Amino acid sequence: MRIRTTSDPAEFKATVFPSLQADPILHTSLLSNVEDRVNGIMHDPASPVFLSVHDDHDAVIGAVFCSASRGIQLGALPDTLVPVIVDVCADLAPNPDEIGGTASAARRLAELLAARNGKTPRQTQGIRLHKLDEFVALKADGAPRRAVAADVEVIAALMPGYRADVGHGLPPAEEEGWARTRIERGRLWVWENEGRVVSVVGHQATLFGATRVGPVYTPPRDRGRGYAGALTAHVTRQLLDAGSQVCLHTDLANPTSNKIYAAIGYRPLVDLVVYRLDPAVGAGELD
């Protein structure tokens, strides 16, 4: 086996997408993150590093994305390939202290990197990937509509609340650009009630016939009224009507959102975890 590395998302796309397209739902995060970087609508504070693992016939058998903001994203990398990539991740990843992937692969890489760096691994998040099965519409007061240019400031003002919830932020000056580029691509929707935007739902680029819904955000003052569920269902229906498979991620620590998405018809596909490497304060063990 051998590893190729690049900081060019277009080069990485050309290398790994032909292999990943066989299961665009399972590989949804890696596909959409790379695609947005190729299209110039997602930017990193430091150059990302993309890794592809190849067998003796040069076939791609693993793909990993490393960024300063999201750490090392293993996606569906097989456990057996974790020892193969550990040295490259330790040396080149712009943020080697955060690792996301399947439970066993992320844990193994966290252990190996922690041992090298004298740190302690800690699981910080559980994420579940869901795929839509049988669609069910949900209702709420108000109505959905696709976001337009006039919504940029409103959405930009809401999104810091979402990013605080998920633990990944953008500088405030970049929020309007984030909203504008996605509105221009038709990827943001709002739920409006009594003349006010009360919920925002987006979706990622459609790749190989699959689309991931997200972000989903309702500010605290408007929660508990069914807006996010109704808007997520509406966006899901639009994607289905366009011929796409649909998926989304949920935070396992949020039983309310998991219940709502199940009501729409989303069914669990695979669980993922995120580990953080903390400075060691003694002989720590994994949570």
Side-chain angles (χ1 to χ4, degrees):
M1 288 182 287
R2 64 190 183 89
I3 298 175
R4 291 184 191 170
T5 64
T6 180
S7 61
D8 181 355
E11 178 184 345
F12 186 67
K13 175 181 177 177
T15 299
V16 305
F17 274 31
S19 297
L20 302 184
Q21 68 178 320
D23 194 338
I25 297 287
L26 183 62
H27 301 296
T28 176
S29 288
L30 191 147
L31 289 168
S32 63
N33 272 280
V34 174
E35 184 71 10
D36 279 356
R37 285 165 172 81
V38 170
N39 291 330
I41 67 168
M42 188 174 287
H43 305 281
D44 298 287
S47 294
V49 175
F50 304 99
L51 286 67
S52 55
V53 185
H54 302 253
D55 67 15
D56 292 339
H57 302 288
D58 205 34
V60 174
I61 55 176
V64 177
F65 164 56
C66 309
S67 72
S69 58
R70 298 295 180 92
I72 302 168
Q73 296 297 313
L74 301 176
L77 187 80
D79 297 0
T80 55
L81 296 184
V82 170
V84 177
I85 67 166
V86 63
D87 289 340
V88 176
C89 289
D91 294 339
L92 299 181
N95 173 13
D97 289 339
E98 186 170 291
I99 302 104
T102 61
S104 53
R107 180 186 178 98
R108 182 59 177 146
L109 184 59
E111 290 175 331
L112 292 172
L113 289 174
R116 291 174 61 112
N117 301 327
K119 295 187 175 183
T120 300
R122 173 173 57 92
Q123 183 178 326
T124 60
Q125 191 176 19
I127 300 167
R128 180 164 289 164
L129 175 63
H130 299 254
K131 180 179 179 181
L132 187 75
D133 186 15
E134 295 289 335
F135 174 76
V136 178
L138 301 183
K139 296 181 179 181
D141 292 338
R145 62 174 174 82
R146 196 184 294 271
V148 298
D151 297 313
V152 167
E153 290 186 6
V154 172
I155 293 174
L158 290 176
M159 292 313 292
Y162 165 78
R163 301 191 200 286
D165 285 352
V166 300
H168 294 292
L170 278 181
E174 295 182 15
E175 289 291 3
E176 287 195 9
W178 180 92
R180 185 175 297 106
T181 55
R182 284 150 183 82
I183 288 173
E184 289 171 351
R185 287 163 172 78
R187 284 168 46 179
L188 285 179
W189 295 76
V190 298
W191 193 273
E192 201 169 53
N193 190 30
E194 297 181 347
R196 222 167 34 86
V197 171
V198 294
S199 189
V200 179
V201 171
H203 65 78
Q204 308 306 310
T206 299
L207 295 162
F208 307 114
T211 314
R212 187 172 81 258
V213 173
V216 176
Y217 183 67
T218 300
R221 64 176 286 193
D222 294 310
R223 293 176 185 172
R225 297 175 174 87
Y227 299 139
L231 184 53
T232 299
H234 177 78
V235 172
T236 299
R237 179 78 264 174
Q238 305 309 302
L239 295 171
L240 283 175
D241 289 347
S244 181
Q245 300 181 77
V246 193
C247 62
L248 53 73
H249 284 137
T250 64
D251 184 344
L252 289 175
N254 187 339
T256 299
S257 65
N258 281 269
K259 183 177 179 180
I260 290 170
Y261 299 138
I264 297 171
Y266 285 96
R267 301 293 177 256
L269 186 63
V270 64
D271 285 354
L272 307 167
V273 298
V274 177
Y275 279 96
R276 183 78 192 172
L277 303 188
D278 296 330
V281 293
E285 295 183 356
L286 287 171
D287 293 344

